[in-house]
Amino acid sequence: MAQELGTLAQQTADRLAEQRVGAVVAVVAEDAVEIRGAGSTGADHGRAPGPDTLFEIGSVTKSFTALALARLASAGTVGLDEPLGDLLPDGTAVPSRDGRQITLQHLATHTSGLPRLPRGMLLQALLRPSKPDPYADCTADVLLSGLARTRLGTTPGKRFRYSNLGAGLLGLALARRAGTEYEALITREICAPLGMTDTVVTVDGTRSERSAQGHGRRGRPAAPWHLADLVGAGGLRSTATDLVAFVRAQLDGGPAELAEAIRLSRSVEHRTSPFAWVHLGWMAHRLHPRQGSHLQVWHNGGTGGFSSFVGFDPEKRLAVIALGNTQRPVDGPAFDLLRTLQSEHAAMPH
């Protein structure tokens, strides 16, 4: 079985690398794990990326932010229904609509009504389209000042509306309540219990030597993204090895100190259609019966030079991780691989 999984992982990595600079693909099937790389890291040494190569994981960071929320909620440090304003500095103006306040759960399920980007950022992007690091100026002062002037598009809790701003504010708020920085919060609450040593915001030391160089859609080197205080929306770097540990916890329930938080994160659901919904930090859908009715829970990510995908089937204990050091999305081949694993698993005798 391991040989077959390794072949599937390598085929997908090769497929991704054909039109990109480099990629790493990991496959988890019950207790088996296979990680394969193809192409180049794009860094000075030019090696093929591997299990311990660091990539910007973009919005996959949101799954970590939401799990940190579930962890703090399980400990009684915060409440899922606690208003965002309770965790921000005194005097911060937080928009509401129809008498409903934005709660932490709204932020983690993209139902806050907040826009996708911080106020003024879309205009800034139009005026400076070549800016290499568009989120670099998103400090807490800028975010909270803009928040006070933001109008909600929908009543909180009513409709799914994907928001980087909301996820970033959640990370900022949780770090404030925990009395620490976002990176330290994620390390303490998630990475340490899972033995993940390479999931970080700041890359330094030997990690720099293991970091892939990002590239734009046309293959030109791209500057790294630093999301300032919006980091909870997409500022983490990680490796295939660490993400395997992260997704194994989702499949197996995780260690004792994380188990309740994982259950809580997936018990929360907001339906977006009859066949799709969102958990705390995860998208989910069930395939059409003609495709086997398989369950897929996932999140993808993209920055100026990287793309990422983490998807799993908790019913069959299968997962796929795909990381690329090019802006072009990896979603298509990653979803194809996950469906292949699900179909083959369904055909196997049990």
Side-chain angles (χ1 to χ4, degrees), residues 63-223:
S63 299
F64 286 82
T65 303
L67 185 56
L69 166 61
R71 187 96 151 88
L72 295 181
S74 298
T77 305
V78 301
L80 292 183
D81 293 329
E82 191 168 357
L84 169 63
D86 289 359
L87 285 76
L88 298 179
D90 292 343
T92 300
V94 180
S96 60
R97 181 163 172 169
D98 299 330
R100 297 201 65 180
Q101 294 180 300
I102 297 171
T103 69
L104 303 184
Q105 179 169 318
H106 294 152
L107 296 173
T109 56
H110 299 282
T111 56
S112 66
L114 287 167
R116 186 180 186 95
L117 297 172
R119 184 176 175 85
M121 192 169 171
L122 181 58
L123 177 61
Q124 182 187 67
L126 292 173
L127 294 175
R128 301 172 65 188
S130 61
K131 186 176 181 181
D133 191 355
Y135 292 93
D137 298 330
C138 292
T139 62
D141 288 345
V142 169
L143 292 173
L144 299 184
S145 174
L147 181 64
R149 296 175 283 114
T150 297
R151 296 182 62 182
L152 300 185
T154 59
T155 303
K158 189 172 183 179
R159 185 165 68 86
F160 176 87
R161 188 185 191 194
Y162 191 86
S163 176
N164 285 323
L165 172 59
L169 288 171
L170 178 60
L172 175 64
L174 294 177
R176 279 185 53 81
R177 175 60 61 85
T180 187
E181 299 293 323
Y182 176 82
E183 182 175 30
L185 174 69
I186 297 302
T187 297
R188 185 184 77 195
E189 300 295 340
I190 300 172
C191 297
L194 294 178
M196 298 167 59
T197 58
D198 280 327
T199 299
V200 295
V201 174
T202 304
V203 175
D204 53 18
T206 58
R207 291 194 188 99
S208 298
E209 301 169 5
R210 293 188 282 116
S211 294
Q213 166 66 53
H215 298 80
R217 286 180 177 270
R218 297 181 179 179
R220 296 172 182 167

